[in-house]
Amino acid sequence: GFKVMSDGHYYGCCACIGSAGNGLIPKITMLRAHDGYVLNLFINGAIKVKTDSGRDAVFDIHTDYPVTGCVSVSLEADDEFTLYIRDPHWSAKTTVSVNGEEAGEHSGGYIKIRRCWQQGDCIEINLDMSTKAVYPVRYGHEILMNKVIWGHNYIVPTYDEQDPEAFKHIALIRGPIVLAQDSRNGYSLDEPMDIDVDSSGHISARLPNYDTAPYSHIVEVEIPLKDGNFVTVTDYASVGKLWTEESRAAAWIRVK
């Protein structure tokens, strides 16, 4: 849908949904469960709650996620309750330890830990931030509902045949982040790259010793090529921006 302003201009749902999503972050980072608390988002900061017995409990979160998958939670508490830690679907192997000992059991997308918590307990969460290749879906031809007549809020069906060139591209995902090219990193987006992808679709990507991308970004990653060299990509949210040939960007990377 879209919102019509008083002056006759209008904008689509993206602006509304984006703003609503930002507003929900503090509301959903930690939720109350019937027997404890649910940690959903991995963000730096302290969260103070009241236990069922009326005692204060403080979760102090330290992390550089999503650059790495390491999350440390220091707990100031003296009570028994269950802590549910979100186990993202993209993390093939999430591990959790309490005071250095592996803990928790998997329960419907979460790792569940019930114990008598004490002052100074330390929870360490390690998320699998492997880099994986994503290949185009083969659909042949399809009726797409992607053409909108905004003035009348009407969707026009269109017939589409898949471009064979699509199969010469892959996308890269590292943890929750889509990686992308930017021509400011010193290469042509039109030249196919021979990325070293193993039979399971994984890529032995690495974080550089120091960042070289000449623009602000969340994470920089070096992607291995089959000739032994590496190519620099960054998170998709940070590429492009200039709307010039200097900053051409692509999430679908042309490959050999």
Side-chain angles (χ1 to χ4, degrees), residues 126-187:
N126 283 284
L127 304 166
D128 183 358
M129 304 294 283
S130 299
T131 301
K132 304 166 188 173
V134 177
Y135 296 87
V137 175
R138 294 181 178 271
Y139 64 87
H141 57 87
E142 189 63 86
I143 300 297
L144 302 179
M145 309 298 285
N146 64 347
K147 183 177 181 180
V148 182
I149 308 301
W150 290 108
H152 300 281
N153 197 25
Y154 182 71
I155 300 177
V156 180
T158 56
Y159 175 76
D160 177 74
E161 289 187 359
Q162 189 169 29
D163 187 346
E165 287 292 308
F167 305 120
K168 298 179 181 179
H169 296 75
I170 63 171
L172 304 177
I173 294 181
R174 179 180 183 273
I177 289 181
V178 174
L179 301 173
Q181 297 174 302
D182 189 304
S183 55
R184 285 174 289 179
N185 288 317
Y187 48 72

Side-chain angles (χ1 to χ4, degrees), residues 60-122:
D60 196 2
I61 304 171
H62 299 274
T63 182
D64 64 354
Y65 170 87
V67 178
T68 73
C70 301
V71 183
S72 177
V73 183
S74 299
L75 185 56
E76 297 177 20
D78 187 14
D79 210 339
E80 181 179 2
F81 55 81
T82 302
L83 178 62
Y84 298 87
I85 299 170
R86 185 171 66 90
D87 184 13
H89 77 279
W90 46 259
S91 179
K93 184 179 181 181
T94 302
T95 61
V96 176
S97 65
V98 178
N99 301 330
E101 295 185 3
E102 191 169 342
E105 59 183 64
H106 291 266
S107 176
Y110 289 85
I111 294 175
K112 173 183 176 181
I113 307 172
R114 184 167 186 88
R115 61 184 281 142
C116 292
W117 300 94
Q118 297 179 342
Q119 297 285 344
D121 280 343
C122 182

Side-chain angles (χ1 to χ4, degrees), residues 166-226:
F167 305 120
K168 298 179 181 179
H169 296 75
I170 63 171
L172 304 177
I173 294 181
R174 179 180 183 273
I177 289 181
V178 174
L179 301 173
Q181 297 174 302
D182 189 304
S183 55
R184 285 174 289 179
N185 288 317
Y187 48 72
S188 169
L189 273 62
D190 298 318
E191 293 296 324
M193 295 184 173
D194 202 6
I195 295 176
D196 190 7
V197 184
D198 70 18
S199 59
S200 65
H202 285 77
I203 298 165
S204 297
R206 68 187 188 189
L207 297 178
N209 293 327
Y210 57 91
D211 286 357
T212 60
Y215 52 88
S216 177
H217 53 277
I218 297 171
V219 61
E220 179 176 319
V221 181
E222 293 181 340
I223 302 298
L225 305 178
K226 290 182 179 178

